[in-house]
Amino acid sequence: MPLTTTLFCTACHTPVLQARGLTGGPAGLTLFEPISLSLQPGVSALLGDEGTGKTTLLRLLAGDLAATQGQLWVSGSPVPLSTPQPASVFWCDLRLPMHDADSPEACWAHLRRRLPAWSDDMQARLVADLQLSPHLGKRLNMLSTGSRRKVGLVAALASGATVTLLDQAFASLDAASVRVVEEVLRQASDHTTRACLIADYETPNNLPLASLMTLN
């Protein structure tokens, strides 16, 4: 699938992430032609219809899927594509399917072991603003889809990773929670050394984007 990029930054910085000739897919399949991209600091969006490979691309960038070829740099340093490096590039399935029996706090404790820049302040802020406090003692398989995805969003937004990848960040959220996440992302748009890439079907509303990428 070809990737097109539109830059919106008026004074663009050195890219936080650069990928060259990246391709791959589940079970070693190749789902698209080799892709090269540069991710500016701040918040960018990755758009595409169902089946165009948005989630696959995020997983390849994060090392959750092993690339069949390609190279990746974060903050100018090479990053191996064969092993997840969550402190450099963080992605998780926001449904957290591997944590059915865990409470939100146990899930976060597990994830933060490899995230030295994890923000306790951001975690506490999002627990309060997303109204997760009543659910902290519950197993994830007891939560609604929306609440479960909120737990995943807390992990992603508190991760402190250099690059954070979000797959459909607003899916299954109520309007108040959408506004909470939008506000956090608006603040993230001012970062000069970190980047966030949101994959979705439509351009996110109310967010100043550094760039817009489209998989066709």
Side-chain angles (χ1 to χ4, degrees):
M1 300 287 180
L3 178 75
T4 59
T5 301
T6 302
L7 292 175
F8 298 118
C9 47
T10 54
C12 293
H13 298 267
T14 301
V16 177
L17 176 148
Q18 292 178 290
R20 293 290 180 267
L22 182 65
T23 190
L29 299 175
T30 298
L31 296 190
F32 39 66
E33 294 299 314
I35 282 177
S36 297
L37 63 88
S38 295
L39 190 59
Q40 288 287 315
V43 178
S44 296
L46 172 67
L47 306 185
D49 293 331
E50 187 75 29
T52 53
K54 299 185 301 297
T55 299
T56 295
L57 180 54
L58 297 189
R59 293 179 65 192
L60 288 169
L61 291 170
D64 188 66
L65 282 176
T68 54
Q69 67 182 67
Q71 295 175 291
L72 181 69
W73 296 266
V74 174
S75 299
S77 299
V79 174
L81 285 164
S82 57
T83 305
Q85 305 287 329
S88 294
V89 184
F90 181 89
W91 174 89
C92 72
D93 184 334
L94 294 178
R95 300 167 297 180
L96 300 169
M98 304 302 293
H99 294 274
D100 276 347
D102 292 336
S103 68
E105 289 181 318
C107 177
W108 297 328
H110 171 79
L111 293 171
R112 69 182 295 167
R113 292 172 190 165
R114 299 184 64 191
L115 296 165
W118 180 281
S119 172
D120 290 322
D121 290 342
M122 181 59 73
Q123 176 184 331
R125 170 187 170 182
L126 289 170
V127 166
D129 292 352
L130 294 174
Q131 300 183 344
L132 282 171
S133 296
H135 305 301
L136 295 184
K138 300 176 183 177
R139 298 191 309 272
L140 292 194
N141 59 8
M142 298 172 61
L143 302 184
S144 68
T145 300
S147 292
R148 189 162 177 154
R149 290 182 67 89
K150 290 178 188 179
V151 175
L153 284 165
V154 171
L157 297 173
S159 69
T162 305
V163 179
T164 300
L165 308 176
L166 295 173
D167 200 351
Q168 291 188 267
F170 306 106
S172 301
L173 298 185
D174 58 89
S177 296
V178 168
R179 290 193 292 271
V180 169
V181 175
E182 286 178 341
E183 178 58 27
V184 172
L185 291 173
R186 275 194 291 272
Q187 294 173 1
S189 68
D190 293 329
H191 288 165
T192 58
T193 58
R194 293 169 55 192
C196 180
L197 180 61
I198 306 169
D200 216 322
Y201 300 106
E202 298 179 341
T203 306
N205 294 322
N206 308 316
L207 292 180
L209 296 177
S211 63
L212 179 66
M213 305 179 189
T214 306
L215 280 167
N216 299 302

